[in-house]
Every structure is written in C-alpha cells, then in structure tokens.
Amino acid sequence: MSPLTVAADAEKEFAQILQADNTAITQITSWIHNNLDRIQENETERNALALRIRDRLSPIRQLYTDFLKRYPDHARARVAYGSFLTHIDHRQGAIDQWKQALKTDPKNAAALNNLAIHLGTIALQSRQTRGIQEAFRALDKAIQLNPKEPLYRHNYATLLCSFRKPAARHYKIKPQQITQKAIGEYDVAIKLSPKQFEYAADRAEAFLDLTPFPHAEAIHAWQAAFAIAGTPDERDWAHLQTAIAHYKGEKWKQVEDSLKRMTGEYHQALAGQLRRATEAKLEGPKP
C-alpha cells in the first residue's frame, strides 16, 4: 500500500472519529438539558446520568487511542483527543495530548490555543497561577501563526482580563495597561467576526477594570453588544450589564431604566440585588 493511500485512509478514519465524537457530545448535551431540573435536585439522578455519559464516551475514547497507536504523529488527532479528554475532566491527559501534538507540529495554532485556555481554566478553578506564563506564551505564538483567527484574539483578551496582575508581571506593564491591551485584542476579534455577541459583551465588561471608570465608553460598548444580540437572554444580559455600568458610574436613576427593559427570568436574581443596592444609594445613609 502506497504512503498516499495510507494517508488517505488515515484521514478518512479520523473524519469518522470526529463525527462520532461530535454526535456523542451533542447527544450528551441534550441529555443534560432535558434533565437539568432532575439532576440538580436528585443525587441519584446525577449519578445515573454520569454513568450513562461515561458509557457513551468510552467507545469514543477507544477510537482515539486505537487510532493514535497506529498514527502517533497525527497532530490534529491529538488536538481533537485532548479536547475530548476535557469533556471527561482528564486535565493532565488533555495537556499531554496538546503538548505531544506540538512536538510533532510546533506550528499547530489550535494546540497552542487549547493548551492556553485549558491552563487558564485550571488556574481559575484552583486559584493557582503556575501555568499562566505558559498560557500567555502559547497564545502569543498562536496569534503570530494565525493573526486573523478571531477566536484566538478573543481568548487572549479574556486571559489578560482574567489574570491582570500576572499578565502585568509577564509583559512588564501596569494592570491598567493590560486591560487596555485586552480591549485592543477584543477590537481585533470583533473586526474579524463582527456578529459574535460574546466578543462584544466581553469587550464591554472589560471597561469595569479601568480607573477612573469610563462610563460613557462602557455604555457605548454595551449598546454595540445589544445591537448584535441574537436571543432574549443575550439582550437581557446587555440590559443588566448596562445597569451595572450605570451603577459603577453612579448614575443611579439610569440603573432602573435599564433593568426595566429586561423581559426574561434568567438574570432576575442579579437584577434584584442591583435594584436593592441602587435604592440604598438613592435613600442615602440612615441617620
């Protein structure tokens, strides 16, 4: 069998594995969505669903491991397998796969991006920042390799906002400048993908970290996010965050105006807290 035939067969098999992976994850997402109330309230239901998910994913994992035994230098398969392992919370396994992919293909931007975001997630959950320097370096390189990929720009900006002080030490600038740098990266992501609500919303939220707080800029940013919101939940989120920006800008009467525009129930608990805090400000200190 010629090398070209082997390569073609490998790509066909890899495509089938990806399809099986996507089908399984879509099905599991549906299970969780359809049983959300039951699994939140009942530990037995949660355990049963966890077992069902494990059984559903087990053959997919076997497909990946069998494939990589035969094609150990298939970098894209290792990138995909690393992402799969995050679904079963195998953190170190995912990291190992992405690093192995980078040994085979040092210019694999997807592996660099995934590695950086995974390290950032672990740091947020563990409240330890040991891997953050590596995450910054990985995303720096991913953007150098593919500067027109909006996802990388967005992820980089989010990583900067999430770890302002470590980022300030890493890049040897002030935390305020880190936020400004992140907003610039969000700007690039939005220019490359102008209809992504998440990009616009994250950019608008970044203004909260600036001192003094640029109230007018923040409101304008949330107006831009609202303009591309595609669902009632996204529109409500924009209204809520606009109210928060008004609160931070001490525009007390405008807070309620924004909250009144919310129509759904998803964020009403936060809206209630903000409304009570605003009422306290309007009433002033008790004698």
Side-chain angles (χ1 to χ4, degrees), residues 8 14 19 24 31 77 88 92 115 128 153 195 204-205 210 215 223 232 236-237 271:
F14 177 50
Q19 181 61 48
W31 292 346
I88 58 175
Q92 190 57 51
L115 177 62
Q128 297 180 356
R153 298 283 186 167
K195 298 300 183 181
E205 196 167 343
L210 291 176
H215 174 260
Q223 289 171 342
D236 274 359
W237 184 250

Side-chain angles (χ1 to χ4, degrees), residues 84-112:
F84 171 83
L85 289 174
T86 65
H87 292 303
I88 58 175
D89 202 27
H90 193 338
R91 296 178 177 181
Q92 190 57 51
I95 291 172
D96 291 344
Q97 290 300 318
W98 293 323
K99 288 188 174 182
Q100 186 64 40
L102 289 168
K103 286 181 180 179
T104 303
D105 180 10
K107 294 184 178 181
N108 192 306
L112 290 162

Side-chain angles (χ1 to χ4, degrees), residues 124 157-164:
L124 284 173
T158 302
L159 193 70
L160 291 172
C161 288
S162 300
F163 300 96
R164 287 208 315 158

Side-chain angles (χ1 to χ4, degrees), residues 64-81:
Y64 276 116
T65 56
D66 289 346
F67 181 85
L68 288 168
K69 284 179 182 177
R70 286 179 284 115
Y71 306 103
D73 293 334
H74 199 295
R76 288 182 297 114
R78 291 201 179 276
V79 173
Y81 185 36

Side-chain angles (χ1 to χ4, degrees), residues 168-223:
R169 291 192 294 271
H170 180 76
Y171 293 104
K172 297 180 173 56
I173 57 179
K174 296 179 180 179
Q176 181 94 340
Q177 293 172 296
I178 289 295
T179 301
Q180 293 165 341
K181 179 179 176 68
I183 291 172
E185 292 295 328
Y186 283 131
D187 286 338
V188 176
I190 291 167
K191 185 177 181 180
L192 292 167
S193 185
K195 298 300 183 181
Q196 282 284 349
F197 174 78
E198 183 182 4
Y199 295 178
D202 286 348
R203 177 186 183 274
E205 196 167 343
F207 285 98
L208 291 171
D209 289 330
L210 291 176
T211 304
F213 174 59
H215 174 260
E217 286 184 74
I219 296 303
H220 184 266
W222 279 113
Q223 289 171 342

Side-chain angles (χ1 to χ4, degrees), residues 259-270:
L259 293 178
K260 285 179 179 178
R261 293 186 174 94
M262 296 175 65
T263 59
E265 299 180 358
Y266 290 110
H267 310 298
Q268 287 303 323
L270 287 173

